[in-house]
Amino acid sequence: MSIANTAQTVLLSHCIFDGTGRAPFDGYVAVADGRILAVGAGPCPESLVTSETELIDLGNKTVSAGYTDVHCFFTGYTMGFVGVDLSKVASCEEILATVKAYAETLSAGKPVLGHGWNSKVLHPAGPHALDEAFGSRPVILFAAGGETCWMNTAAQKAYHFTPETCWPESYAELLPVVLGDRAYIEPEFRRYMQLMNSRGVTSVKEMGFDDYDGFTDVLADLEKDNALTLRVSFMTQPVRRNADLPYARAMRDKFKGEFVHFSGFNRMTDGSISQLCGDLKKPYNCAPDTTCAQEIDWKLIGDETRAVDAEGFRFSLHAQGDAAISKVLDIYETCHRDEHGRVINRHSITDLEFSDPADLERMGKLGVIAEIYPQIQSIADRAGKLAMIEEKIGMERGKYYWNRRKMADSGVLLSCGTDLPLLIDDIPQSVYHAVGGYFPEGGEPFNKQNMLTVPELMTAWTRGGAYNLGQEKELGTLEAGKKADIAVLSGNIFTIPVEDARSLAVVLTMVGGKIVYQAD
């Protein structure tokens, strides 16, 4: 590999965070041929600059490597835009009229889909009106936020879910219809890339069910056409069948290019503590006979993980309760490890809502990666969240909620995810919550002793994410020779008061040295 001796672009800033461990500094980042030519403190050397070099003076704005979101569901996100837009309808009668008119524009027999109606205001009464209007033609209308849907009996029979089970794993049989509609899904993914770039995100780890229902062909074609502005590592999540190793081998062999890679397997273990579905070591306060209200096939998960590990693939297991986290670590202890006892295949745990400090120490020694949700407090309020914790597990155990401080102190490598569309990437917001410990309304921080520092969190979004994706040699830090994936925030994230961090926003994003987003 060789790059030019002079820069095509030079970014100048008083706040450059290179992600290598040193403090932010006043200096420059020189870019040429899609890679970082040089990074340094002080003025950019004249030898790197020609009359053709573009100099971008960013003042006190924060320059860092591009951000990596390690837990996204584009497929879940896109269901919020599928079919006819119902966001402006004012009544159930208007929904019916709008959907009837839309259905007439579709080919006969094609399911009728819609999105965006307000479930807080409108309350459709079961499937009957849709049954009467559409008969045996499936109709599914997703509410804004995706928390429920209005669907007819034909749709429930065809796709085997109901409004009460309207979440991605349940409507997996509908996804081939949506992902197979190339005229819809390719423009949607292009729009999705623009959204992510506008948030400074340059790499993602995407979750796809089973064989991703052919969506990898879309990714392959976009990469071939040099149309990707987002690096995509994708995982297969077994839903309709168990882990498919032949598919994993095929995907690993197929994607060896610049932008798309296969990253392994993903699976849920337990569920939400608020619904008594988090797997706990001790019973729930409100249900003394219950440590988990759902059945979890730990034998299947363990056997599957070991089979995947034996072929050199990695697994990301989603765990929220302290018992679930402990059991996942028990499984990872049976996987291949190096001479220091650390897992070889970069296995990870996602979420880690409520953990036992002893298990976090074990996690660090095992080399298991944490995929934390640093914005998760943004969807809660202090009174509601603390009341839930008090009711379910009590505040004595609640002091171990979101214990990212212990993870960092135990040597756990941190990376950041959003579970998008649950959350949409907002790095300044993540600082407000995961460094400040604040709920959206502000006030007293929650579990302040468990929070990270700004440099630790920024490192997790950049270098930690790159390591998670196995791309730390090319991405994640601002160092000469690495790919020029760069994000710029509108101010100095390291000096602004944490309670004001949300006032910042991404103003510039580069992928491979090309500007893919620039604020007005």
Side-chain angles (χ1 to χ4, degrees):
M1 177 190 70
S2 62
I3 58 176
N5 294 320
T6 56
Q8 294 158 344
T9 305
V10 175
L11 305 180
L12 305 170
S13 173
H14 302 309
C15 179
I16 293 175
F17 178 70
D18 66 10
T20 65
R22 64 174 170 170
F25 55 88
D26 183 347
Y28 65 91
V29 181
V31 175
D33 296 337
R35 291 186 178 266
I36 296 171
L37 176 62
V39 181
C44 181
E46 292 184 3
S47 60
L48 298 180
V49 180
T50 71
S51 59
E52 302 296 318
T53 301
E54 180 184 16
L55 298 174
I56 303 178
D57 191 342
L58 296 165
N60 201 37
K61 297 178 176 67
T62 303
V63 179
S64 72
Y67 312 128
T68 295
D69 187 331
V70 300
H71 201 84
C72 302
F73 283 89
F74 165 68
T75 48
Y77 172 81
T78 195
M79 299 304 277
F81 304 95
V82 71
V84 62
D85 185 355
L86 303 170
S87 60
K88 294 185 171 55
V89 299
S91 68
C92 294
E93 292 74 21
E94 189 179 347
I95 290 180
L96 277 173
T98 303
V99 174
K100 283 180 180 178
Y102 171 68
E104 292 177 359
T105 69
L106 304 176
S107 58
K110 187 174 182 179
V112 182
L113 305 176
H115 69 273
W117 59 275
N118 189 340
S119 62
K120 294 180 174 61
V121 176
L122 305 177
H123 306 284
H128 312 297
L130 294 177
D131 288 348
E132 183 177 336
F134 295 96
S136 62
R137 188 176 190 181
V139 180
I140 307 171
L141 311 174
F142 292 93
E147 72 279 2
T148 188
C149 59
W150 188 16
M151 59 195 302
N152 63 357
T153 302
Q156 294 182 33
K157 290 181 178 178
Y159 301 114
H160 306 107
F161 72 99
T162 68
E164 292 72 36
T165 60
C166 186
W167 53 77
E169 287 83 358
S170 292
Y171 57 65
E173 293 184 38
L174 175 64
L175 290 176
V177 175
V178 177
L179 296 178
D181 184 351
R182 191 69 173 255
Y184 166 73
I185 205 65
E186 185 173 320
E188 275 301 302
F189 189 72
R190 289 175 183 267
R191 191 171 69 86
Y192 175 72
M193 290 193 294
Q194 292 173 355
L195 167 69
M196 300 302 267
N197 293 157
S198 75
R199 304 305 181 100
V201 177
T202 56
S203 297
V204 291
K205 180 149 65 66
E206 287 286 342
M207 309 301 135
F209 297 156
D210 302 311
D211 62 0
Y212 223 153
D213 299 304
F215 183 66
T216 53
D217 292 338
V218 176
L219 294 175
D221 289 345
L222 289 171
E223 182 171 36
K224 181 180 178 182
D225 294 341
N226 296 315
L228 293 175
T229 62
L230 191 65
R231 303 186 194 277
V232 180
S233 295
F234 65 97
M235 282 188 151
T236 171
Q237 179 171 325
V239 173
R240 289 160 289 194
R241 56 183 178 272
N242 292 339
D244 189 339
L245 281 166
Y247 171 76
R249 296 185 205 108
M251 292 300 99
R252 180 168 59 185
D253 292 342
K254 179 177 181 177
F255 291 103
K256 296 181 179 295
E258 172 79 4
F259 275 83
V260 186
H261 298 93
F262 179 68
S263 190
F265 292 82
N266 176 73
R267 187 182 273 283
M268 298 288 294
T269 63
D270 64 343
S272 171
I273 291 171
S274 64
Q275 297 175 332
L276 306 187
C277 290
D279 193 5
L280 304 184
K281 291 185 174 183
K282 296 179 180 179
Y284 284 87
N285 285 10
C286 58
D289 296 328
T290 302
T291 56
C292 186
Q294 70 179 49
E295 293 293 328
I296 303 172
D297 193 341
W298 287 108
K299 183 180 185 307
L300 168 66
I301 295 170
D303 290 346
E304 200 171 59
T305 301
R306 284 182 285 272
V308 163
D309 177 76
E311 294 216 23
F313 293 110
R314 59 175 299 203
F315 227 122
S316 173
L317 291 172
H318 188 288
Q320 297 188 55
D322 57 354
I325 293 167
S326 184
K327 291 171 185 176
V328 169
L329 293 174
D330 290 344
I331 291 170
Y332 287 156
E333 283 183 336
T334 66
C335 293
H336 287 86
R337 293 190 277 162
D338 63 19
E339 66 274 16
H340 304 294
R342 300 170 68 84
V343 293
I344 293 172
N345 291 319
R346 301 198 184 190
H347 302 305
S348 61
I349 303 178
T350 308
D351 197 333
L352 299 123
E353 183 173 359
F354 165 57
S355 56
D356 181 335
D359 286 320
L360 299 182
E361 293 179 7
R362 188 157 61 115
M363 189 173 175
K365 292 175 182 177
L366 276 170
V368 173
I369 300 167
E371 298 178 348
I372 62 172
Y373 295 163
Q375 292 169 232
I376 196 67
Q377 267 183 273
S378 69
I379 59 172
D381 65 273
R382 181 182 180 84
K385 190 68 176 183
L386 268 60
M388 185 280 292
I389 293 173
E390 178 62 39
E391 177 192 3
K392 307 304 185 197
I393 63 174
M395 295 312 298
E396 180 60 28
R397 283 192 284 177
K399 67 185 180 183
Y400 299 124
Y401 240 80
W402 299 321
N403 197 356
R404 297 146 190 157
R405 175 76 270 136
K406 181 63 177 178
M407 296 177 202
D409 292 343
S410 299
V412 176
L413 186 134
L414 302 177
S415 57
C416 297
T418 55
D419 204 11
L420 186 150
L422 175 68
L423 302 154
I424 304 297
D425 298 80
D426 187 326
I427 277 65
Q429 183 188 74
S430 77
V431 169
Y432 176 83
H433 295 296
V435 175
Y438 300 113
F439 285 98
E441 67 271 24
E444 191 71 20
F446 171 62
N447 280 354
K448 180 66 176 178
Q449 74 280 0
N450 295 344
M451 299 300 112
L452 298 170
T453 66
V454 176
E456 286 172 331
L457 185 58
M458 291 292 287
T459 299
W461 275 113
T462 54
R463 189 174 72 195
Y467 182 89
N468 186 309
L469 270 52
Q471 297 181 14
E472 72 277 9
K473 293 181 180 179
E474 294 274 39
L475 301 169
T477 57
L478 301 178
E479 296 181 89
K482 287 194 170 183
K483 295 174 183 176
D485 288 11
I486 299 171
V488 181
L489 289 173
S490 57
N492 189 324
I493 193 68
F494 300 94
T495 59
I496 191 171
V498 172
E499 58 269 25
D500 298 329
R502 292 180 296 179
S503 66
L504 302 185
V506 170
V507 294
L508 183 107
T509 307
M510 300 179 77
V511 175
K514 297 179 181 178
I515 295 175
V516 295
Y517 171 76
Q518 192 163 14
D520 294 336

